[in-house]
mmCIF file with all atom_site columns, all heavy atoms in Angstrom:
data_model
loop_
_atom_site.group_PDB
_atom_site.id
_atom_site.type_symbol
_atom_site.label_atom_id
_atom_site.label_alt_id
_atom_site.label_comp_id
_atom_site.label_asym_id
_atom_site.label_entity_id
_atom_site.label_seq_id
_atom_site.pdbx_PDB_ins_code
_atom_site.Cartn_x
_atom_site.Cartn_y
_atom_site.Cartn_z
_atom_site.occupancy
_atom_site.B_iso_or_equiv
_atom_site.pdbx_formal_charge
_atom_site.auth_seq_id
_atom_site.auth_comp_id
_atom_site.auth_asym_id
_atom_site.auth_atom_id
_atom_site.pdbx_PDB_model_num
ATOM 1   N N   . ASN Y 1 346 ? 88.834  -36.940 0.135  1.00 0.00 ? 372 ASN Y N   1
ATOM 2   C CA  . ASN Y 1 346 ? 88.762  -38.322 -0.306 1.00 0.00 ? 372 ASN Y CA  1
ATOM 3   C C   . ASN Y 1 346 ? 88.444  -39.191 0.903  1.00 0.00 ? 372 ASN Y C   1
ATOM 4   O O   . ASN Y 1 346 ? 87.894  -38.697 1.896  1.00 0.00 ? 372 ASN Y O   1
ATOM 5   C CB  . ASN Y 1 346 ? 90.080  -38.745 -0.969 1.00 0.00 ? 372 ASN Y CB  1
ATOM 6   C CG  . ASN Y 1 346 ? 90.161  -38.292 -2.419 1.00 0.00 ? 372 ASN Y CG  1
ATOM 7   O OD1 . ASN Y 1 346 ? 89.471  -38.821 -3.274 1.00 0.00 ? 372 ASN Y OD1 1
ATOM 8   N ND2 . ASN Y 1 346 ? 91.022  -37.316 -2.695 1.00 0.00 ? 372 ASN Y ND2 1
ATOM 9   N N   . LYS Y 1 347 ? 88.783  -40.458 0.821  1.00 0.00 ? 373 LYS Y N   1
ATOM 10  C CA  . LYS Y 1 347 ? 88.509  -41.387 1.923  1.00 0.00 ? 373 LYS Y CA  1
ATOM 11  C C   . LYS Y 1 347 ? 89.774  -42.115 2.353  1.00 0.00 ? 373 LYS Y C   1
ATOM 12  O O   . LYS Y 1 347 ? 89.740  -43.276 2.748  1.00 0.00 ? 373 LYS Y O   1
ATOM 13  C CB  . LYS Y 1 347 ? 87.425  -42.388 1.503  1.00 0.00 ? 373 LYS Y CB  1
ATOM 14  C CG  . LYS Y 1 347 ? 86.098  -41.739 1.134  1.00 0.00 ? 373 LYS Y CG  1
ATOM 15  C CD  . LYS Y 1 347 ? 85.087  -42.756 0.622  1.00 0.00 ? 373 LYS Y CD  1
ATOM 16  C CE  . LYS Y 1 347 ? 83.777  -42.076 0.234  1.00 0.00 ? 373 LYS Y CE  1
ATOM 17  N NZ  . LYS Y 1 347 ? 82.785  -43.036 -0.327 1.00 0.00 ? 373 LYS Y NZ  1
ATOM 18  N N   . PHE Y 1 348 ? 90.887  -41.407 2.273  1.00 0.00 ? 374 PHE Y N   1
ATOM 19  C CA  . PHE Y 1 348 ? 92.147  -42.002 2.712  1.00 0.00 ? 374 PHE Y CA  1
ATOM 20  C C   . PHE Y 1 348 ? 92.125  -42.211 4.223  1.00 0.00 ? 374 PHE Y C   1
ATOM 21  O O   . PHE Y 1 348 ? 91.601  -41.375 4.971  1.00 0.00 ? 374 PHE Y O   1
ATOM 22  C CB  . PHE Y 1 348 ? 93.321  -41.099 2.333  1.00 0.00 ? 374 PHE Y CB  1
ATOM 23  C CG  . PHE Y 1 348 ? 93.592  -41.035 0.855  1.00 0.00 ? 374 PHE Y CG  1
ATOM 24  C CD1 . PHE Y 1 348 ? 93.397  -39.857 0.143  1.00 0.00 ? 374 PHE Y CD1 1
ATOM 25  C CD2 . PHE Y 1 348 ? 94.045  -42.148 0.177  1.00 0.00 ? 374 PHE Y CD2 1
ATOM 26  C CE1 . PHE Y 1 348 ? 93.646  -39.791 -1.219 1.00 0.00 ? 374 PHE Y CE1 1
ATOM 27  C CE2 . PHE Y 1 348 ? 94.298  -42.099 -1.195 1.00 0.00 ? 374 PHE Y CE2 1
ATOM 28  C CZ  . PHE Y 1 348 ? 94.091  -40.915 -1.893 1.00 0.00 ? 374 PHE Y CZ  1
ATOM 29  N N   . TYR Y 1 349 ? 92.718  -43.311 4.656  1.00 0.00 ? 375 TYR Y N   1
ATOM 30  C CA  . TYR Y 1 349 ? 92.792  -43.594 6.091  1.00 0.00 ? 375 TYR Y CA  1
ATOM 31  C C   . TYR Y 1 349 ? 94.217  -44.027 6.437  1.00 0.00 ? 375 TYR Y C   1
ATOM 32  O O   . TYR Y 1 349 ? 95.093  -44.110 5.570  1.00 0.00 ? 375 TYR Y O   1
ATOM 33  C CB  . TYR Y 1 349 ? 91.786  -44.661 6.489  1.00 0.00 ? 375 TYR Y CB  1
ATOM 34  C CG  . TYR Y 1 349 ? 91.957  -45.986 5.798  1.00 0.00 ? 375 TYR Y CG  1
ATOM 35  C CD1 . TYR Y 1 349 ? 92.878  -46.936 6.246  1.00 0.00 ? 375 TYR Y CD1 1
ATOM 36  C CD2 . TYR Y 1 349 ? 91.197  -46.302 4.667  1.00 0.00 ? 375 TYR Y CD2 1
ATOM 37  C CE1 . TYR Y 1 349 ? 93.046  -48.142 5.600  1.00 0.00 ? 375 TYR Y CE1 1
ATOM 38  C CE2 . TYR Y 1 349 ? 91.353  -47.514 4.017  1.00 0.00 ? 375 TYR Y CE2 1
ATOM 39  C CZ  . TYR Y 1 349 ? 92.279  -48.437 4.483  1.00 0.00 ? 375 TYR Y CZ  1
ATOM 40  O OH  . TYR Y 1 349 ? 92.442  -49.633 3.843  1.00 0.00 ? 375 TYR Y OH  1
ATOM 41  N N   . GLY Y 1 350 ? 94.435  -44.306 7.708  1.00 0.00 ? 376 GLY Y N   1
ATOM 42  C CA  . GLY Y 1 350 ? 95.771  -44.679 8.150  1.00 0.00 ? 376 GLY Y CA  1
ATOM 43  C C   . GLY Y 1 350 ? 96.616  -43.458 8.441  1.00 0.00 ? 376 GLY Y C   1
ATOM 44  O O   . GLY Y 1 350 ? 96.112  -42.341 8.581  1.00 0.00 ? 376 GLY Y O   1
ATOM 45  N N   . GLU Y 1 351 ? 97.909  -43.672 8.533  1.00 0.00 ? 377 GLU Y N   1
ATOM 46  C CA  . GLU Y 1 351 ? 98.827  -42.599 8.918  1.00 0.00 ? 377 GLU Y CA  1
ATOM 47  C C   . GLU Y 1 351 ? 99.438  -41.902 7.700  1.00 0.00 ? 377 GLU Y C   1
ATOM 48  O O   . GLU Y 1 351 ? 99.520  -42.467 6.616  1.00 0.00 ? 377 GLU Y O   1
ATOM 49  C CB  . GLU Y 1 351 ? 99.943  -43.163 9.800  1.00 0.00 ? 377 GLU Y CB  1
ATOM 50  C CG  . GLU Y 1 351 ? 99.440  -43.763 11.111 1.00 0.00 ? 377 GLU Y CG  1
ATOM 51  C CD  . GLU Y 1 351 ? 100.578 -44.190 12.011 1.00 0.00 ? 377 GLU Y CD  1
ATOM 52  O OE1 . GLU Y 1 351 ? 101.750 -44.058 11.605 1.00 0.00 ? 377 GLU Y OE1 1
ATOM 53  O OE2 . GLU Y 1 351 ? 100.298 -44.647 13.135 1.00 0.00 ? 377 GLU Y OE2 1
ATOM 54  N N   . ILE Y 1 352 ? 99.847  -40.671 7.925  1.00 0.00 ? 378 ILE Y N   1
ATOM 55  C CA  . ILE Y 1 352 ? 100.615 -39.949 6.916  1.00 0.00 ? 378 ILE Y CA  1
ATOM 56  C C   . ILE Y 1 352 ? 101.994 -40.616 6.837  1.00 0.00 ? 378 ILE Y C   1
ATOM 57  O O   . ILE Y 1 352 ? 102.616 -40.873 7.869  1.00 0.00 ? 378 ILE Y O   1
ATOM 58  C CB  . ILE Y 1 352 ? 100.765 -38.466 7.289  1.00 0.00 ? 378 ILE Y CB  1
ATOM 59  C CG1 . ILE Y 1 352 ? 99.394  -37.820 7.459  1.00 0.00 ? 378 ILE Y CG1 1
ATOM 60  C CG2 . ILE Y 1 352 ? 101.576 -37.720 6.243  1.00 0.00 ? 378 ILE Y CG2 1
ATOM 61  C CD1 . ILE Y 1 352 ? 99.455  -36.397 7.996  1.00 0.00 ? 378 ILE Y CD1 1
ATOM 62  N N   . PRO Y 1 353 ? 102.489 -40.961 5.637  1.00 0.00 ? 379 PRO Y N   1
ATOM 63  C CA  . PRO Y 1 353 ? 103.801 -41.612 5.534  1.00 0.00 ? 379 PRO Y CA  1
ATOM 64  C C   . PRO Y 1 353 ? 104.863 -40.884 6.344  1.00 0.00 ? 379 PRO Y C   1
ATOM 65  O O   . PRO Y 1 353 ? 105.011 -39.655 6.254  1.00 0.00 ? 379 PRO Y O   1
ATOM 66  C CB  . PRO Y 1 353 ? 104.102 -41.561 4.030  1.00 0.00 ? 379 PRO Y CB  1
ATOM 67  C CG  . PRO Y 1 353 ? 102.754 -41.560 3.390  1.00 0.00 ? 379 PRO Y CG  1
ATOM 68  C CD  . PRO Y 1 353 ? 101.870 -40.764 4.314  1.00 0.00 ? 379 PRO Y CD  1
ATOM 69  N N   . ALA Y 1 354 ? 105.608 -41.647 7.134  1.00 0.00 ? 380 ALA Y N   1
ATOM 70  C CA  . ALA Y 1 354 ? 106.516 -41.070 8.126  1.00 0.00 ? 380 ALA Y CA  1
ATOM 71  C C   . ALA Y 1 354 ? 107.584 -40.172 7.518  1.00 0.00 ? 380 ALA Y C   1
ATOM 72  O O   . ALA Y 1 354 ? 107.994 -39.179 8.128  1.00 0.00 ? 380 ALA Y O   1
ATOM 73  C CB  . ALA Y 1 354 ? 107.169 -42.199 8.929  1.00 0.00 ? 380 ALA Y CB  1
ATOM 74  N N   . ASP Y 1 355 ? 108.051 -40.486 6.318  1.00 0.00 ? 381 ASP Y N   1
ATOM 75  C CA  . ASP Y 1 355 ? 109.137 -39.712 5.717  1.00 0.00 ? 381 ASP Y CA  1
ATOM 76  C C   . ASP Y 1 355 ? 108.655 -38.698 4.679  1.00 0.00 ? 381 ASP Y C   1
ATOM 77  O O   . ASP Y 1 355 ? 109.464 -38.173 3.910  1.00 0.00 ? 381 ASP Y O   1
ATOM 78  C CB  . ASP Y 1 355 ? 110.139 -40.661 5.040  1.00 0.00 ? 381 ASP Y CB  1
ATOM 79  C CG  . ASP Y 1 355 ? 110.926 -41.485 6.047  1.00 0.00 ? 381 ASP Y CG  1
ATOM 80  O OD1 . ASP Y 1 355 ? 111.088 -41.005 7.187  1.00 0.00 ? 381 ASP Y OD1 1
ATOM 81  O OD2 . ASP Y 1 355 ? 111.363 -42.602 5.696  1.00 0.00 ? 381 ASP Y OD2 1
ATOM 82  N N   . LEU Y 1 356 ? 107.363 -38.418 4.670  1.00 0.00 ? 382 LEU Y N   1
ATOM 83  C CA  . LEU Y 1 356 ? 106.850 -37.463 3.690  1.00 0.00 ? 382 LEU Y CA  1
ATOM 84  C C   . LEU Y 1 356 ? 107.507 -36.101 3.906  1.00 0.00 ? 382 LEU Y C   1
ATOM 85  O O   . LEU Y 1 356 ? 107.499 -35.560 5.017  1.00 0.00 ? 382 LEU Y O   1
ATOM 86  C CB  . LEU Y 1 356 ? 105.331 -37.341 3.815  1.00 0.00 ? 382 LEU Y CB  1
ATOM 87  C CG  . LEU Y 1 356 ? 104.642 -36.506 2.734  1.00 0.00 ? 382 LEU Y CG  1
ATOM 88  C CD1 . LEU Y 1 356 ? 104.856 -37.135 1.357  1.00 0.00 ? 382 LEU Y CD1 1
ATOM 89  C CD2 . LEU Y 1 356 ? 103.159 -36.352 3.010  1.00 0.00 ? 382 LEU Y CD2 1
ATOM 90  N N   . GLY Y 1 357 ? 108.067 -35.567 2.855  1.00 0.00 ? 383 GLY Y N   1
ATOM 91  C CA  . GLY Y 1 357 ? 108.770 -34.293 2.932  1.00 0.00 ? 383 GLY Y CA  1
ATOM 92  C C   . GLY Y 1 357 ? 110.264 -34.420 3.110  1.00 0.00 ? 383 GLY Y C   1
ATOM 93  O O   . GLY Y 1 357 ? 111.008 -33.481 2.841  1.00 0.00 ? 383 GLY Y O   1
ATOM 94  N N   . LYS Y 1 358 ? 110.699 -35.603 3.546  1.00 0.00 ? 384 LYS Y N   1
ATOM 95  C CA  . LYS Y 1 358 ? 112.130 -35.792 3.833  1.00 0.00 ? 384 LYS Y CA  1
ATOM 96  C C   . LYS Y 1 358 ? 112.956 -35.737 2.560  1.00 0.00 ? 384 LYS Y C   1
ATOM 97  O O   . LYS Y 1 358 ? 114.039 -35.128 2.521  1.00 0.00 ? 384 LYS Y O   1
ATOM 98  C CB  . LYS Y 1 358 ? 112.339 -37.117 4.552  1.00 0.00 ? 384 LYS Y CB  1
ATOM 99  C CG  . LYS Y 1 358 ? 113.761 -37.324 5.046  1.00 0.00 ? 384 LYS Y CG  1
ATOM 100 C CD  . LYS Y 1 358 ? 113.853 -38.577 5.908  1.00 0.00 ? 384 LYS Y CD  1
ATOM 101 C CE  . LYS Y 1 358 ? 115.256 -38.736 6.493  1.00 0.00 ? 384 LYS Y CE  1
ATOM 102 N NZ  . LYS Y 1 358 ? 115.356 -39.936 7.367  1.00 0.00 ? 384 LYS Y NZ  1
ATOM 103 N N   . TYR Y 1 359 ? 112.463 -36.384 1.530  1.00 0.00 ? 385 TYR Y N   1
ATOM 104 C CA  . TYR Y 1 359 ? 113.186 -36.409 0.259  1.00 0.00 ? 385 TYR Y CA  1
ATOM 105 C C   . TYR Y 1 359 ? 112.458 -35.623 -0.834 1.00 0.00 ? 385 TYR Y C   1
ATOM 106 O O   . TYR Y 1 359 ? 112.942 -35.542 -1.959 1.00 0.00 ? 385 TYR Y O   1
ATOM 107 C CB  . TYR Y 1 359 ? 113.379 -37.863 -0.197 1.00 0.00 ? 385 TYR Y CB  1
ATOM 108 C CG  . TYR Y 1 359 ? 114.005 -38.741 0.856  1.00 0.00 ? 385 TYR Y CG  1
ATOM 109 C CD1 . TYR Y 1 359 ? 113.254 -39.687 1.536  1.00 0.00 ? 385 TYR Y CD1 1
ATOM 110 C CD2 . TYR Y 1 359 ? 115.360 -38.595 1.186  1.00 0.00 ? 385 TYR Y CD2 1
ATOM 111 C CE1 . TYR Y 1 359 ? 113.828 -40.488 2.513  1.00 0.00 ? 385 TYR Y CE1 1
ATOM 112 C CE2 . TYR Y 1 359 ? 115.939 -39.387 2.171  1.00 0.00 ? 385 TYR Y CE2 1
ATOM 113 C CZ  . TYR Y 1 359 ? 115.166 -40.334 2.835  1.00 0.00 ? 385 TYR Y CZ  1
ATOM 114 O OH  . TYR Y 1 359 ? 115.745 -41.108 3.803  1.00 0.00 ? 385 TYR Y OH  1
ATOM 115 N N   . ASN Y 1 360 ? 111.300 -35.077 -0.504 1.00 0.00 ? 386 ASN Y N   1
ATOM 116 C CA  . ASN Y 1 360 ? 110.542 -34.281 -1.468 1.00 0.00 ? 386 ASN Y CA  1
ATOM 117 C C   . ASN Y 1 360 ? 110.975 -32.817 -1.414 1.00 0.00 ? 386 ASN Y C   1
ATOM 118 O O   . ASN Y 1 360 ? 111.792 -32.434 -0.572 1.00 0.00 ? 386 ASN Y O   1
ATOM 119 C CB  . ASN Y 1 360 ? 109.041 -34.376 -1.183 1.00 0.00 ? 386 ASN Y CB  1
ATOM 120 C CG  . ASN Y 1 360 ? 108.549 -35.796 -0.999 1.00 0.00 ? 386 ASN Y CG  1
ATOM 121 O OD1 . ASN Y 1 360 ? 108.043 -36.156 0.054  1.00 0.00 ? 386 ASN Y OD1 1
ATOM 122 N ND2 . ASN Y 1 360 ? 108.689 -36.614 -2.039 1.00 0.00 ? 386 ASN Y ND2 1
ATOM 123 N N   . ASN Y 1 361 ? 110.373 -32.038 -2.288 1.00 0.00 ? 387 ASN Y N   1
ATOM 124 C CA  . ASN Y 1 361 ? 110.634 -30.596 -2.307 1.00 0.00 ? 387 ASN Y CA  1
ATOM 125 C C   . ASN Y 1 361 ? 109.315 -29.864 -2.068 1.00 0.00 ? 387 ASN Y C   1
ATOM 126 O O   . ASN Y 1 361 ? 108.947 -28.945 -2.806 1.00 0.00 ? 387 ASN Y O   1
ATOM 127 C CB  . ASN Y 1 361 ? 111.247 -30.186 -3.652 1.00 0.00 ? 387 ASN Y CB  1
ATOM 128 C CG  . ASN Y 1 361 ? 111.749 -28.757 -3.647 1.00 0.00 ? 387 ASN Y CG  1
ATOM 129 O OD1 . ASN Y 1 361 ? 112.116 -28.208 -2.602 1.00 0.00 ? 387 ASN Y OD1 1
ATOM 130 N ND2 . ASN Y 1 361 ? 111.757 -28.130 -4.811 1.00 0.00 ? 387 ASN Y ND2 1
ATOM 131 N N   . LEU Y 1 362 ? 108.575 -30.266 -1.045 1.00 0.00 ? 388 LEU Y N   1
ATOM 132 C CA  . LEU Y 1 362 ? 107.198 -29.827 -0.828 1.00 0.00 ? 388 LEU Y CA  1
ATOM 133 C C   . LEU Y 1 362 ? 107.097 -28.320 -0.603 1.00 0.00 ? 388 LEU Y C   1
ATOM 134 O O   . LEU Y 1 362 ? 107.817 -27.740 0.208  1.00 0.00 ? 388 LEU Y O   1
ATOM 135 C CB  . LEU Y 1 362 ? 106.592 -30.551 0.373  1.00 0.00 ? 388 LEU Y CB  1
ATOM 136 C CG  . LEU Y 1 362 ? 106.203 -32.016 0.167  1.00 0.00 ? 388 LEU Y CG  1
ATOM 137 C CD1 . LEU Y 1 362 ? 105.618 -32.587 1.453  1.00 0.00 ? 388 LEU Y CD1 1
ATOM 138 C CD2 . LEU Y 1 362 ? 105.200 -32.172 -0.971 1.00 0.00 ? 388 LEU Y CD2 1
#
Side-chain angles (χ1 to χ4, degrees):
N372 279 289
K373 300 176 181 177
F374 290 113
Y375 60 83
E377 298 185 358
I378 302 173
D381 290 333
L382 187 62
K384 187 173 184 178
Y385 307 107
N386 311 119
N387 189 27
L388 286 180

